[in-house]
């Protein structure tokens, strides 16, 4: 399993988000399942295009990493970058690398189901969310969604149940209760966050 990273942002346009099967384009192209995104500096396996040759304020933004990374803007001095792609063994549309894959000799699976990793290990009924989709936040609690994720990558490992990520995406706001004088042990983080927002407004 490989999660995509979003591209870096520069002044021209929004950066490309980390993608699912394919990374999102910006001034540079997103990576896909067999190649990095195109740009002045191209993405490659596991890495987004980086602009290390130009320092200071004159360089374009670096691209998002992932299974195959995105590319930078086609202009070396300005522009936002594309996002990387993601990979899950067993996910429809994914293409696994061959066990003899190298950067110099990129070989991909020719199996009946090329999505399955050459180790034979795969996920059953996997789901993939790209950086423009709603996903559970790792910061507050399991009931609080976010669109994409800003910052370091994260993984959430939890039992599958309907209560884990409900269809109602609203933040749970408790009504008909007063703000406690002391924060008890049962006060969950989403409620605390809501109270803090009230104080800051």
């Amino acid at each position: 399993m490989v999660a995509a990273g979003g591209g870096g942002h520069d002044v021209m346009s929004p950066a490309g988000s980390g993608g699912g099967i394919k990374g999102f384009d910006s001034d540079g192209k997103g990576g896909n399942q067999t190649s990095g995104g195109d740009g002045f500096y191209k993405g490659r396996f596991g890495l987004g295009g980086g602009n290390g040759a130009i320092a200071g304020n004159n360089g374009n933004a670096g691209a998002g990493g992932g299974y195959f990374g995105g590319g930078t803007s086609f202009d070396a001095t300005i522009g936002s970058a594309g996002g990387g792609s993601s990979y899950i063994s067993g996910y429809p549309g994914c293409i696994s690398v061959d066990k003899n894959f190298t950067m110099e000799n990129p070989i991909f699976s020719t199996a009946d189901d090329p999505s399955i990793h050459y180790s034979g290990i795969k996920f059953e009924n996997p789901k993939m969310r790209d950086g423009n989709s709603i996903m559970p936040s790792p910061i507050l609690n399991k009931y609080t969604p976010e669109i994409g994720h800003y910052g370091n990558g994260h993984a959430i490992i939890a039992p599958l149940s309907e209560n884990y990520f409900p269809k109602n995406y609203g933040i749970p706001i408790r009504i008909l209760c007063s703000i406690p004088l002391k924060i008890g042990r049962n006060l969950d983080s989403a409620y605390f966050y809501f109270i803090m927002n009230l104080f800051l407004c």
Side-chain angles (χ1 to χ4, degrees):
M1 177 190 294
V2 183
H9 171 71
D10 200 12
V11 296
M12 287 179 65
S13 56
S17 298
I21 297 295
K22 182 184 183 303
F24 288 91
D25 295 339
S26 181
D27 300 314
K29 300 296 184 180
N32 57 46
Q33 291 297 297
T34 57
S35 64
D38 203 6
F40 191 87
Y41 292 95
K42 297 180 180 181
R44 54 191 178 126
F45 181 66
L47 294 172
N51 194 348
I54 301 176
N57 296 326
N58 294 322
N60 60 19
Y67 187 51
F68 280 88
T72 67
S73 168
F74 287 88
D75 186 332
T77 62
I78 194 171
S80 299
S85 61
S86 298
Y87 167 81
I88 300 176
S89 179
Y91 187 84
C94 285
I95 301 175
S96 296
V97 296
D98 186 85
K99 64 180 179 180
N100 295 316
F101 177 98
T102 65
M103 300 295 282
E104 295 74 26
N105 186 28
I107 305 173
F108 298 92
S109 173
T110 57
D112 291 339
D113 185 350
S115 72
I116 299 174
H117 189 261
Y118 59 79
S119 66
I121 298 172
K122 66 175 182 176
F123 289 86
E124 296 289 343
N125 303 314
K127 296 186 183 298
M128 185 186 291
R129 290 191 175 99
D130 60 47
N132 286 344
S133 299
I134 294 174
M135 60 186 67
S137 169
I139 299 172
L140 298 176
N141 73 5
K142 62 185 179 182
Y143 297 110
T144 305
E146 60 181 353
I147 298 177
H149 179 67
Y150 179 81
N152 294 329
H154 72 277
I156 297 176
I157 301 173
L160 294 177
S161 71
E162 293 182 0
N163 294 327
Y164 176 69
F165 194 58
K167 293 181 180 179
N168 181 4
Y169 297 131
I171 295 175
I173 299 175
R174 301 179 183 183
I175 59 174
L176 300 178
C177 62
S178 60
I179 297 175
L181 296 177
K182 294 182 179 180
I183 298 175
R185 293 176 61 187
N186 294 328
L187 186 68
D188 63 66
S189 55
Y191 185 43
F192 178 73
Y193 180 75
F194 174 66
I195 292 172
M196 292 303 295
N197 276 341
L198 287 179
F199 288 153
L200 295 174
C201 290

